[in-house]
Amino acid sequence: MRDFYEIYRYAILITLWTGCFLTFYRMGKLRLLQRLLQRTKSSVDEAARKRLLLSRSKLTRLEKEEGFWFFLERQLCYGGLLRRFPFLGAESFVLLTILAGAGCFLAGAAMGGLMAGLLGVGILLLAEWGVITLGKAMEMRAVNENLMKLLDFLGNYSVTAGDVVAVFSQISKFMDEPLRSALERCCVEAQTTGDVGMAMLSMAERIEHPQFKELVRNIEVSSRYSADFSVLVQFSRRSMREYLKSVRERKSLLREAGINMTLLLGMSVFALVTVNGLLETSVWNVLFYSIPGRVALGIVGGITFLFLMQAYRLES
């Protein structure tokens, strides 16, 4: 009996010691993971800070930003994602995409094999591209609808080089997104750094709309050499009216081309259905399961894709 209690005590001691060891081992792994996350976050923040400084330097020298990270940062900014999620920089977006892609691949591979995993990654990338593209189109449309209102407000104020930031601050309250956030950020940056010209150039880079870029850059130049912006505002109004007129004409042409394309596709389907009823062999089998049929489908798909890409260019 005494031997049994001795064994029992040693077993309890070993169990407690093992539990303590595993607890501290787990805490060490968590600390290691925490340090790794902190180091990753610091690296991402440092890369974003260096890219911002380089971007400001290039703006000062009127040089165009090049490289994958600058391009991705612009797309996220033009799509409105950086405004809605300020923490989402280019590096953070790529890191989240890698993690989400790994999750999609593992989930798809577990359910349907390697091809299903690759398909899941492809769907994720396509969804991200669609979100950015849709966001850019919505931002462009919103700027189109608010740019004339911005010019009207600028015309109502006696804007001079000294109070342009104050006027932007007052006008921003009446603007819709993304112009409201762009104007507010420009005012905060100008008041913080004291460099009004750099603040306006940075604001122009955050909006994709070409007319807005031209307007802000003209205001920045005029703020250094002129005292009154009334002539600039009048010229910008005429330019904006011509731009909106060309946009309406392009949309009219796009609408007409879309109707014609839809009619052609509908007539092609109707012709195939008619021929399928006249022949003994199924047209659909020939179309989907033979080499000539697949080539024809590929040609039609390619033409449709090129049309949609051209429509997207005209729309933007």
Side-chain angles (χ1 to χ4, degrees):
M1 195 67 172
R2 184 177 179 181
D3 294 338
F4 174 76
Y5 283 118
E6 289 291 334
I7 296 174
Y8 183 70
R9 285 194 304 170
Y10 283 120
I12 293 177
L13 180 61
I14 293 173
T15 304
L16 291 174
W17 185 86
T18 305
C20 292
F21 173 78
L22 292 177
T23 301
F24 286 109
Y25 178 74
R26 178 66 174 176
M27 292 173 61
K29 290 185 64 176
L30 290 176
R31 289 198 194 96
L32 179 62
L33 180 60
Q34 183 180 8
R35 287 196 296 268
L36 180 61
L37 291 175
Q38 289 178 350
R39 187 179 304 172
T40 303
K41 184 178 182 301
S42 299
S43 301
V44 169
D45 294 340
E46 181 66 17
R49 188 185 68 84
K50 290 181 178 179
R51 189 174 61 254
L52 178 61
L53 293 176
L54 182 59
S55 175
R56 296 298 175 88
S57 176
K58 288 179 177 292
L59 279 178
T60 305
R61 300 192 300 267
L62 299 179
E63 296 180 2
K64 186 177 180 182
E65 300 170 352
E66 296 179 354
F68 170 75
W69 297 109
F70 287 111
F71 171 78
L72 181 58
E73 188 91 15
R74 281 198 301 268
Q75 299 307 306
L76 295 176
C77 186
Y78 292 161
L81 294 178
L82 288 182
R83 189 183 73 251
R84 297 181 177 90
F85 309 102
F87 64 90
L88 190 65
E91 291 84 2
S92 301
F93 181 80
V94 171
L95 181 60
L96 291 175
T97 299
I98 292 175
L99 294 176
C104 292
F105 178 80
L106 293 176
M111 292 186 293
L114 178 62
M115 293 304 298
L118 295 176
L119 180 62
V121 175
I123 292 175
L124 173 67
L125 296 178
L126 184 62
E128 290 180 347
W129 176 81
V131 169
I132 294 176
T133 302
L134 180 61
K136 290 172 61 177
M138 293 174 63
E139 298 283 293
M140 288 284 288
R141 189 175 297 111
V143 176
N144 263 341
E145 295 173 354
N146 284 267
L147 199 50
M148 281 301 296
K149 183 165 65 172
L150 173 63
L151 290 172
D152 292 338
F153 277 115
L154 287 175
N156 293 334
Y157 288 91
S158 179
V159 185
T160 59
D163 60 358
V164 60
V165 175
V167 172
F168 281 172
S169 179
Q170 296 178 20
I171 291 176
S172 65
K173 303 173 185 177
F174 306 99
M175 294 291 105
D176 298 329
E177 296 293 354
L179 290 185
R180 177 187 298 174
S181 297
L183 291 172
E184 290 176 349
R185 185 170 176 179
C186 175
C187 296
V188 172
E189 182 176 345
Q191 293 170 358
T192 303
T193 62
D195 192 344
V196 179
M198 179 56 67
M200 286 194 288
L201 289 177
S202 300
M203 177 176 64
E205 290 301 312
R206 286 192 288 269
I207 302 294
E208 188 180 15
H209 201 286
Q211 295 298 115
F212 180 79
K213 290 180 180 291
E214 181 181 357
L215 172 64
V216 174
R217 287 169 181 165
N218 289 338
I219 291 177
E220 191 274 330
V221 173
S222 299
S223 66
R224 287 182 283 151
Y225 302 105
S226 177
D228 190 0
F229 295 158
S230 58
V231 177
L232 172 62
V233 171
Q234 292 176 4
F235 172 78
S236 298
R237 280 176 176 171
R238 290 195 298 268
S239 178
M240 187 61 190
R241 291 191 186 99
E242 294 176 358
Y243 174 80
L244 292 177
K245 181 180 178 181
S246 66
V247 169
R248 287 193 294 268
E249 292 176 352
R250 286 188 301 173
K251 287 185 176 181
S252 177
L253 292 174
L254 179 61
R255 191 179 302 110
E256 182 179 353
I259 293 173
N260 292 334
M261 179 66 73
T262 304
L263 289 175
L264 287 174
L265 291 176
M267 292 173 61
S268 300
V269 173
F270 177 76
L272 289 174
V273 171
T274 303
V275 172
N276 184 62
L278 297 176
L279 298 179
E280 297 180 357
T281 305
S282 175
V283 174
W284 310 114
N285 289 333
V286 175
L287 192 62
F288 291 104
Y289 299 105
S290 66
I291 295 179
R294 291 178 178 176
V295 170
L297 283 177
I299 293 174
V300 173
I303 293 174
T304 305
F305 177 75
L306 292 176
F307 170 76
L308 293 176
M309 291 297 297
Q310 187 67 23
Y312 169 71
R313 292 177 182 175
L314 290 175
E315 182 69 20
S316 59

